[in-house]
Amino acid sequence: MASGVIALSGTDKTLVGLNPLSLTAIREGILGKIFPDAANISDAVTGTDFVPNVEALAEVNPDLVIQWGGRGPEIVDPIVNAGLTTLLIKYGTEELTRQYTTMVATAIGKPERITELVEWRDQVQKDIEAKLAGIAEEDRPSVLYLGRSLSDITAAGNKGSYNAWYIELTGGRNAAAELDGSLSINREQIAQWDPEVILLNSFEPGLDVSWVYDDPILSLTKAAQNRRVYKMPLGGYRWDPPNQESPLTWMWLAELLHPDVFDYDLRAEMTKAYKVLYNYELTDEDIDGIIWTAQQGDGFGYDQFAAE
């Protein structure tokens, strides 16, 4: 949500504290280039598990604390008990994303920013749905999103998974649909599912597509054999979870799953979106860095994203 606050407010000066994972994304991604001072915002106010550090919160003295409202009282009560004004938001679906983004825009005094962003989400979603309306189930590739790969291997079933939602939206079938929630799995399970496409998370800096291609088991999957392994891009925020850049995630994945159906000019769409979101003109080098062209530009279908 930290990068979302920057996008909505148009400045990094609104933020006085953020989650360590958000700070890592700023430093690793392009937001740190667009807003260099954001890399110095305190991440001491919470752990990566969102448990607040009340003493650190008191030091930065926020007018408003935004916290997840559906993950238990242990991450909410300390903030409320400290007398801090708190906005609770719920996560997990596209509908909730639009709701909490609107709430945050209003809370930070930028309600005029939200209409254009929600309309963009709505337009792209409906466009993708319309173009895929005639695609038969057997023509939808099986797609596996791995939320973690290095310290553990995790995948998520359909229930409550935003990743599963946009896999289906963009014309794929969740290879891990049988799972109940997000669970640890092993390489043998992946081999059994034998997905046609594998998506790697953008949360693990040391992770790239070689993790699949160089693995003696995973390299035998259809995804590896056909060079359809992709790491999720890292832009103003990671493209895996819902955020202000989600329509770009959908267009990127739709093009990879059904290049014969879609003809989005992703580079032009990114350029237009970053101007609206961050008032920033992307360069070709910026775009290549966000979508990991150097690391996976030889993947199936990636030539369509090459600079002219």
Side-chain angles (χ1 to χ4, degrees):
M1 192 67 248
S3 64
V5 170
I6 292 175
L8 290 168
S9 65
T11 174
D12 58 354
K13 307 307 179 189
T14 305
L15 279 176
V16 294
L18 42 62
N19 187 286
L21 292 176
S22 296
L23 183 59
T24 302
I26 289 171
R27 289 174 172 170
E28 293 175 358
I30 195 169
L31 209 59
K33 176 181 178 181
I34 303 173
F35 299 98
D37 291 343
N40 299 316
I41 297 173
S42 173
D43 66 346
V45 296
T46 179
T48 56
D49 54 3
F50 302 100
V51 174
N53 180 332
V54 177
E55 290 75 19
L57 277 172
E59 286 186 16
V60 297
N61 191 29
D63 296 315
L64 175 70
V65 179
I66 302 170
Q67 179 63 294
W68 298 117
R71 302 189 179 189
E74 63 274 13
I75 69 169
V76 174
D77 290 352
I79 306 171
V80 176
N81 294 338
L84 296 168
T85 302
T86 309
L87 172 62
L88 299 181
I89 59 179
K90 287 190 174 181
Y91 166 94
T93 69
E94 175 60 17
E95 182 180 5
L96 286 172
T97 303
R98 298 181 190 197
Q99 289 177 359
Y100 73 65
T101 307
T102 301
M103 290 167 58
V104 171
T106 303
I108 65 173
K110 293 288 184 178
E112 73 279 4
R113 285 282 288 158
I114 198 59
T115 301
E116 182 179 14
L117 301 184
V118 169
E119 287 179 349
W120 179 44
R121 303 181 81 93
D122 199 48
Q123 178 266 320
V124 176
Q125 180 182 341
K126 288 180 177 176
D127 183 65
I128 291 174
E129 289 173 339
K131 289 176 177 172
L132 288 173
I135 301 295
E137 187 70 12
E138 59 267 25
D139 293 330
R140 296 170 182 258
S142 60
V143 182
L144 178 63
Y145 169 78
L146 297 175
R148 289 291 183 277
S149 296
L150 297 180
S151 58
D152 189 13
I153 304 175
T154 66
N158 287 344
K159 186 178 180 180
S161 168
Y162 192 75
N163 313 100
W165 177 82
Y166 62 67
I167 286 173
E168 182 175 354
L169 169 70
T170 55
R173 292 178 289 112
N174 183 11
E178 67 188 64
L179 299 182
D180 185 10
S182 182
L183 299 174
S184 295
I185 59 171
N186 55 35
R187 287 171 169 77
E188 288 71 23
Q189 177 64 75
I190 297 174
Q192 182 178 344
W193 284 330
D194 196 14
E196 295 169 271
V197 177
I198 294 177
L199 302 176
L200 302 178
N201 76 80
S202 65
F203 288 88
E204 296 174 295
L207 178 65
D208 63 41
V209 293
S210 65
W211 182 81
V212 174
Y213 292 136
D214 295 343
D215 185 90
I217 296 176
L218 302 181
S219 61
L220 301 178
T221 59
K222 292 175 184 172
Q225 293 289 306
N226 295 313
R227 304 294 293 182
R228 300 186 79 180
V229 181
Y230 313 102
K231 179 167 179 166
M232 301 294 296
L234 168 55
Y237 192 58
R238 310 175 199 281
W239 283 16
D240 320 38
N243 62 75
Q244 65 277 7
E245 297 185 23
S246 295
L248 297 174
T249 307
W250 310 338
M251 287 187 271
W252 171 79
L253 187 55
E255 287 284 354
L256 291 173
L257 299 186
H258 295 283
D260 53 334
V261 173
F262 296 97
D263 59 354
Y264 294 121
D265 183 339
L266 184 69
R267 299 182 81 93
E269 295 286 351
M270 291 174 66
T271 300
K272 184 169 60 177
Y274 273 61
K275 184 64 178 176
V276 173
L277 291 169
Y278 312 115
N279 192 28
Y280 178 76
E281 296 282 353
L282 280 174
T283 67
D284 281 338
E285 183 180 12
D286 292 332
I287 294 174
D288 286 335
I290 291 168
I291 64 175
W292 313 112
T293 299
Q295 294 86 351
Q296 57 195 26
D298 61 347
F300 177 84
Y302 236 70
D303 56 340
Q304 66 184 307
F305 303 143
E308 295 183 355

